[in-house]
Amino acid sequence: MKIEIISGSPRYNSVTRRVALHLLQVMQQTGHEVGLIDTQDWDLPPVKAVFASVEDTPDAYKPLAERMFAAQAFILLTPEYNGSYTAELKNLLDHFPKQAHKAFAIATASPGGLGGIRAAMQLQQLVFALFGIGSPYMLVTPQVDKKFDEEGNLLDASFEKSIQIFIKEFLWLCDKLSAEKK
C-alpha cells in the first residue's frame, strides 16, 4: 500500500517535522511504501483550480500530483495554529480532488501541554469533508520538543506505546478498506 505522511508545518526547523521523521522511520518498517510530503518543499499558490489529474497539473507540481494521486492512505501531521491546523496543509489538500474512501490518520504536535488537540479536532472535520475515512486513534503529541530530537529519534520511551497504537489502528483501517475495495 502507498501511504503518504503530509507534514503541514511551514516553519524552518519545525518541531512537528521531528514527529514526521519518526513516523516515516517506523512506517517504513511495516512493509508498506511510505513517503513524506512536506509542505515546506512545495510553494503552492492559493487555490484557483483543483489539479484534477497529473496531466492537468502545472509542470512544477507534477511530482507532487503523482504522489497524491498514487497514495492509498494519508497521515496528516500539523502543529496547532490558533486552535486549528496550518493554512499550508489546507492549501495543499485543496489543490487536489476529494480523497473518497481513503484512510486518514491524524497526528498533531505542540511544545505545549495540549499537544495540538484542538487542531486534531479541526482535522477530523477536514477528513470528513474530503470524503476520507479517519482512523479512530489520533496521535496527539504534547511537549514534542522533549519527546523527539531533530532527527526524529524518540527521546521519551513512555511515548512509544502511543505511537504503536496509532500505527496499529491506522494500518488496521487501511487493511479493512483495502479488503473492501477488492
Side-chain angles (χ1 to χ4, degrees), residues 108-130:
T108 58
S110 172
L114 296 179
I117 188 67
R118 294 175 296 187
M121 297 292 105
Q122 296 293 318
L123 270 178
Q124 283 183 320
Q125 297 303 311
L126 179 59
V127 168
F128 296 148
L130 294 172

Side-chain angles (χ1 to χ4, degrees), residues 59-167:
D59 288 342
Y61 305 111
K62 280 190 192 294
L64 174 61
E66 289 170 356
R67 292 175 66 185
M68 290 294 292
F69 283 107
Q72 297 161 293
F74 297 95
I75 296 175
L76 303 180
L77 175 63
T78 186
E80 184 172 294
Y81 277 25
N82 297 320
S84 191
Y85 48 83
T86 65
E88 289 77 6
L89 178 60
K90 177 80 163 75
N91 189 44
L92 185 146
L93 293 168
D94 284 349
H95 274 86
F96 296 94
K98 303 285 188 188
Q99 302 293 328
H101 302 148
K102 292 186 180 180
F104 281 81
I106 294 171
T108 58
S110 172
L114 296 179
I117 188 67
R118 294 175 296 187
M121 297 292 105
Q122 296 293 318
L123 270 178
Q124 283 183 320
Q125 297 303 311
L126 179 59
V127 168
F128 296 148
L130 294 172
F131 302 148
I133 300 172
S135 178
Y137 192 90
M138 296 181 285
L139 185 66
V140 177
T141 312
Q143 300 172 334
V144 65
D145 52 329
K146 294 178 177 70
K147 288 187 172 46
F148 298 94
D149 68 16
E150 292 176 6
E151 288 80 38
N153 298 308
L154 186 62
L155 300 173
D156 180 355
S158 69
F159 199 62
E160 178 69 30
K161 184 176 181 182
S162 294
I163 295 165
Q164 292 305 317
I165 293 170
F166 171 76
I167 290 169

Side-chain angles (χ1 to χ4, degrees), residues 29-49:
Q29 298 171 14
T30 65
H32 297 281
E33 186 178 335
V34 184
L36 173 60
I37 296 172
D38 195 328
T39 56
Q40 291 182 26
D41 297 336
W42 302 97
D43 188 22
L44 288 165
V47 178
K48 293 186 180 168

